[in-house]
Amino acid sequence: MQRIKKGDDVVVRSGKDAGKRGTVQRVLPRDNRVVVANANMVKRHVRPNPQAGIAGGIQEREAALDLSKVNPFCRTCNKGVRIGFKTLEDGRKVRVCRSCGEALDS
């Protein structure tokens, strides 16, 4: 089971965007990286492609962050936390906050 999944709220721990909150848009498990909305913004020069309807110019987009630079956000603790795993009575395995013990999975 992954510690961080697509759609999770995370807090960036270090780098130029330290302290920013955002949702995970993509997880790249092969590279141990995640793409977080509105974090690690970079400028890319894009060539125009009229067939695809792409206008050329300079675009700003999110670049991937290393997985170790983000922590899941716990709504109960109101901060970035470490993740633990717990097996429920019905046999489901859920991710839990290490600080308060609250389940992060719905």
Side-chain angles (χ1 to χ4, degrees):
M1 183 176 226
Q2 296 176 346
R3 293 185 185 278
I4 295 180
K5 298 179 180 179
K6 179 180 176 180
D8 283 350
D9 284 335
V10 293
V11 178
V12 180
R13 295 183 343 158
S14 63
K16 65 180 182 180
D17 293 321
K20 275 193 180 178
R21 266 182 62 193
T23 58
V24 174
Q25 293 180 331
R26 268 190 341 204
V27 177
L28 309 168
R30 191 179 247 173
D31 304 326
N32 280 335
R33 296 176 81 76
V34 291
V35 177
V36 180
N38 298 321
N40 200 22
M41 298 299 284
V42 294
K43 292 184 191 249
R44 291 283 177 244
H45 295 265
V46 180
R47 190 174 289 227
N49 186 350
Q51 282 91 12
I54 297 172
I58 300 172
Q59 287 184 348
E60 252 193 304
R61 62 172 74 153
E62 296 93 356
L65 281 167
D66 198 78
L67 200 55
S68 63
K69 290 190 176 216
V70 296
N71 271 358
F73 182 77
C74 178
R75 297 184 197 289
T76 313
C77 302
N78 203 26
K79 63 180 181 178
V81 294
R82 294 180 301 139
I83 291 289
F85 293 99
K86 186 190 279 185
T87 305
L88 300 178
E89 298 84 35
D90 59 356
R92 288 188 304 138
K93 188 176 177 183
V94 294
R95 300 176 299 160
V96 294
C97 170
R98 284 280 178 104
S99 299
C100 65
E102 188 74 26
L104 296 176
D105 296 326
S106 341

